[in-house]
Amino acid sequence: FFKKEGAGFFEQTTFFAPALAGVGRHEVRYEYFEPSNPTCVGVDLRVVEVVAPPQIFFFNLFDDYCITAPPTTLTASPEGGVIKINGVVNNLFDPVALGAGTHLVEYLAPINGTPCPTVLKRTVRVRQPSDIVINYVGLRPAYCVGIGGFTIQVQSIIGGVGVMTIDGIVSTNRFFNTETLGIGMHIVNYTVTIPGGCVNNKITTIEILPRPTVSFVNLKNTYCNKEPAFALQALPAGGTFTVNNVISPTFNPSALSAGSYEIKYNYRDSNNPTCTNEITQTVKIGIAPTATISTVANEYCQYGIAEIQPQLNVVYGDGTFTTLFPPELRFRLEDLPAGDYTITYPLTDPVTGCVSIFSYTTKILPATLVNFVDLKESYCREGLPTLLRANAMGGVFTIENEAVTALNPANFEVGEVVNILYTYAHPTSKCPTFVEKSITIVDNPYLTTFEKHRLCPLFPPDYFIEAISETEEADLIASGITPTYYWSNGAGNVRKLKIDKISYNGTSEVFVRDANTCPVAKRVFEIKIDCESKLFVPDAFTPNDDNLNPTLKLFGEYVGKLDFKIYNRWGEVVFTGSKITDAWDGKIAQKPAPAGVYIWQASYENLAVRDTRVRRQGKIVLIR
């Protein structure tokens, strides 16, 4: 039978487990009953003591050291043992003498009669700056201005913390912007610091080149349709020619009809593909026309086109080509009532002097005069979509032959001219009326800023994020801009937003726009909601009347209903606390407690998360 001393009972068992028995003295009793005579009993007693293993640890030993670090004299607890480095008794850890690599540090604590293990082993690495290998990924020695910017990718063998500077200025996002840096040489330096203090860096230079200058060679603005084909040339050579967006290294006027042709030359530097440029020239082909009238249709809807300017294409007897725009034939549809009209004009051959009368009949059908309502001359590309309106609704708005109800500037490029056509049918004649307007997509540069916030909105103080400051808002209003705020998280038109929900965790964006919905500024917020309760207990204090760390103080956040206890080596409670402000003065029953290692246990409620308790324990060293 097994009996724990002082428990007052016997527990029958066939094994002895020190971990289950616990620290203290225990009585083991063996009783034997004679099978043939149960009244005959034999008893043997033995008292066994279970002792606690010693608390063995180094005071000032780290996992990593740089080879340039100064020597460190190692100490450990409990005192009186032996420190070995790589099997040799030595308590001086000198990275320079040991050299780069992995080293075994052991502490052989004094046995003091205990049967428990008394050896502590630690593996420590000594590194040197050359261990840090830094490579730039896919980085070219030169880029052309005009490509915008890109993030420089870096690979570092053996992690660590890296810092990049571009021309001596720290770049937290490693963004290399060819526009803001400008043409010339730029120095990129990436420095990595790894645990243990080793530092290495890699410097490279990047040149920003100007865009190449391109030009056509001997390309005229006008050609006759009888001229032969010729090879297109431009400087520098090696690019691609297109004629009306079709790739063609030659231009053949004799194979083309009369009209204008857009010839483009696109050049890309073979040594640096980021350097490109393009040039465009419009070339006309002249051909002997027939005697026809253009820009005039057989029928018109009233108000469909504001002004009609007839164009007469005349072929004279000698085959020369003339285009006439007789001013007396010009007419405005809105000036004429609906009906049939005949256009007549005399044509004279300048060589023969012969005269002929040109006659053409057209008809004007009744229609409704329509106009756009509140359609501006220009829109910024990053403005919000604008609903298209006209004085007579019910028709169809089209952009590039596609029916639309709103203008979305984001669908176009900066500088692009967008033609908007509105078609409306006359209610009785069903004759459509057209109104057309060209608007320009403009740039509206604005600043994008980034902010990071780590907070818990469940407790004071209140937290706010601002689209712009009050001063910035006042400056905008003073300049004639009334700002409007568009939050990605659905908040209303407010300048600042109170962060009072855990659901705000993540990324939020806000655009500040003017009365034309053009962005004035953009701010991106990275919000980290951290409502984790925290309790910090120092690992040592010195209540020796020198006023340096005289008490063991607790520190924490969101800690409630605290139950804090400190135990001595015999498992006795020497201090209890129920508030984060409670501190132990190193006394037991008003007497100084002995120096040594003590165990603490804490149980407390996480005030940030309802009905959640946290349990932790650790050790402290009382030093005198």
Side-chain angles (χ1 to χ4, degrees):
F1 295 93
F2 168 69
K3 176 186 178 184
K4 185 175 182 181
E5 186 178 36
F9 66 88
F10 289 98
E11 180 184 349
Q12 186 173 351
T13 181
T14 58
F15 64 92
F16 184 79
L20 297 177
V23 176
R25 295 169 61 86
H26 306 278
E27 183 180 275
V28 180
R29 175 174 176 173
Y30 181 67
E31 296 181 355
Y32 177 75
F33 296 89
E34 176 62 42
S36 62
N37 189 350
T39 62
C40 294
V41 180
V43 178
D44 187 16
L45 297 175
R46 182 75 57 86
V47 176
V48 178
E49 183 176 2
V50 176
V51 297
Q55 298 293 322
I56 306 173
F57 56 90
F58 288 103
F59 283 105
N60 55 347
L61 182 63
F62 302 101
D63 292 332
D64 287 273
Y65 289 86
C66 191
I67 198 168
T68 59
T72 301
T73 300
L74 302 179
T75 58
S77 177
E79 298 178 352
V82 175
I83 295 177
K84 291 183 178 181
I85 300 177
N86 295 333
V88 179
V89 175
N90 181 10
N91 67 344
L92 182 66
F93 193 89
D94 186 351
V96 175
L98 291 172
T102 301
H103 304 278
L104 176 64
V105 181
E106 303 174 273
Y107 180 62
L108 287 69
I111 297 176
N112 295 333
T114 176
C116 299
T118 57
V119 177
L120 176 62
K121 296 182 179 182
R122 289 272 297 278
T123 298
V124 179
R125 180 183 292 274
V126 175
R127 299 184 184 275
Q128 53 188 355
S130 60
D131 290 342
I132 308 172
V133 180
I134 302 172
N135 293 311
Y136 294 103
V137 180
L139 193 61
R140 297 178 178 274
Y143 293 88
C144 223
V145 72
I147 67 169
F150 56 90
T151 299
I152 298 177
Q153 302 296 326
V154 183
Q155 286 182 343
S156 173
I157 300 176
I158 304 179
V161 178
V163 176
M164 177 173 287
T165 62
I166 300 177
D167 293 339
I169 300 174
V170 175
S171 176
T172 56
N173 56 5
R174 306 198 303 274
F175 190 74
F176 191 88
N177 193 326
T178 63
E179 305 302 319
T180 58
L181 290 173
I183 296 171
M185 303 298 295
H186 301 276
I187 299 175
V188 177
N189 184 9
Y190 190 69
T191 303
V192 175
T193 303
I194 65 174
C198 278
V199 180
N200 201 358
N201 71 314
K202 187 168 185 178
I203 298 176
T204 188
T205 58
I206 301 176
E207 183 178 7
I208 297 180
L209 304 170
R211 297 183 69 178
T213 301
V214 296
S215 61
F216 288 110
V217 177
N218 299 326
L219 184 63
K220 298 185 297 184
N221 293 325
T222 303
Y223 289 89
C224 177
N225 68 317
K226 299 183 181 297
E227 294 187 54
F230 60 91
L232 295 170
Q233 298 180 19
L235 294 176
T240 301
F241 294 95
T242 61
V243 178
N244 283 0
N245 296 319
V246 177
I247 295 177
S248 176
T250 61
F251 188 71
N252 187 0
S254 62
L256 299 173
S257 58
S260 297
Y261 295 85
E262 187 177 73
I263 300 178
K264 290 184 180 180
Y265 179 66
N266 185 285
Y267 174 76
R268 182 180 300 272
D269 191 337
S270 59
N271 296 322
N272 192 337
T274 66
C275 289
T276 64
N277 207 348
E278 184 179 81
I279 188 172
T280 302
Q281 182 171 326
T282 300
V283 175
K284 286 187 175 181
I285 300 295
I287 192 171
T290 59
T292 58
I293 186 170
S294 60
T295 71
V296 179
N298 295 328
E299 290 183 345
Y300 287 99
C301 284
Q302 195 177 21
Y303 312 124
I305 299 176
E307 183 174 273
I308 305 299
Q309 172 60 68
Q311 173 181 320
L312 301 180
N313 302 317
V314 182
V315 179
Y316 295 113
D318 58 0
T320 58
F321 168 73
T322 301
T323 300
L324 302 179
F325 299 90
E328 58 268 35
L329 298 183
R330 181 181 302 173
F331 62 95
R332 297 173 59 88
L333 293 176
E334 56 265 39
D335 295 337
L336 301 174
D340 295 330
Y341 294 87
T342 300
I343 300 172
T344 59
Y345 186 75
L347 298 174
T348 301
D349 190 313
V351 177
T352 64
C354 296
V355 177
S356 63
I357 303 299
F358 178 83
S359 179
Y360 189 84
T361 301
T362 187
K363 180 181 292 185
I364 298 178
L365 303 176
T368 302
L369 179 64
V370 291
N371 292 294
F372 290 106
V373 176
D374 297 331
L375 186 62
K376 301 179 178 61
E377 300 297 326
S378 63
Y379 289 84
C380 63
R381 187 180 185 276
E382 296 198 53
L384 297 178
T386 299
L387 186 67
L388 295 173
R389 296 186 299 140
N391 62 321
M393 295 300 291
V396 178
F397 295 95
T398 58
I399 297 177
E400 296 181 355
N401 298 321
E402 181 178 348
V404 296
T405 58
L407 171 66
N408 187 357
N411 293 334
F412 307 95
E413 299 298 329
V414 172
E416 187 173 353
V417 177
V418 181
N419 295 318
I420 303 176
L421 177 68
Y422 179 62
T423 304
Y424 177 79
H426 188 275
T428 56
S429 67
K430 304 302 180 181
C431 184
T433 303
F434 304 91
V435 61
E436 189 173 13
K437 186 172 183 179
S438 297
I439 59 98
T440 303
I441 304 300
V442 298
D443 194 11
N444 192 63
Y446 62 91
L447 179 64
T448 300
T449 56
F450 300 84
E451 291 185 8
K452 291 186 178 181
H453 296 270
R454 189 181 184 93
L455 50 87
C456 179
L458 304 181
F459 297 94
D462 292 337
Y463 295 95
F464 293 88
I465 55 177
E466 296 183 330
I468 55 175
S469 66
E470 290 185 1
T471 301
E472 292 171 325
E473 183 181 59
D475 291 342
L476 288 176
I477 294 175
S479 67
I481 297 176
T482 301
T484 305
Y485 307 99
Y486 296 81
W487 294 85
S488 63
N489 54 28
N493 179 23
V494 292
R495 182 184 64 81
K496 65 178 184 178
L497 178 64
K498 182 178 181 181
I499 304 300
D500 55 1
K501 301 176 183 177
I502 294 180
S503 60
Y504 282 116
N505 186 67
T507 300
S508 293
E509 297 180 354
V510 59
F511 267 105
V512 183
R513 300 182 182 273
D514 60 17
N516 294 325
T517 75
C518 291
V520 178
K522 178 183 179 182
R523 185 157 290 173
V524 181
F525 302 90
E526 184 178 319
I527 300 174
K528 175 66 176 178
I529 303 298
D530 184 2
C531 292
E532 187 71 25
S533 62
K534 301 174 180 66
L535 177 67
F536 173 71
V537 181
D539 56 8
F541 73 114
T542 58
N544 50 11
D545 299 327
D546 61 357
N547 290 326
L548 296 176
N549 299 320
T551 61
L552 180 71
K553 296 181 179 180
L554 307 180
F555 305 91
E557 289 182 327
Y558 316 139
V559 174
K561 296 182 181 180
L562 176 65
D563 180 10
F564 184 81
K565 291 182 175 63
I566 298 177
Y567 299 85
N568 62 14
R569 63 184 300 175
W570 294 282
E572 299 170 334
V573 178
V574 298
F575 174 77
T576 61
S578 59
K579 301 185 297 295
I580 198 70
T581 56
D582 290 343
W584 184 33
D585 58 4
K587 295 180 180 181
I588 302 176
Q590 304 303 317
K591 293 181 180 181
V597 179
Y598 292 80
I599 303 300
W600 62 265
Q601 292 183 342
S603 174
Y604 53 90
E605 182 180 280
N606 180 359
L607 296 178
V609 183
R610 185 184 299 275
D611 298 330
T612 300
R613 288 196 69 81
V614 180
R615 290 176 173 79
R616 292 181 54 201
Q617 67 178 16
K619 59 186 178 181
I620 57 174
V621 180
L622 192 155
I623 304 172
R624 292 194 182 278

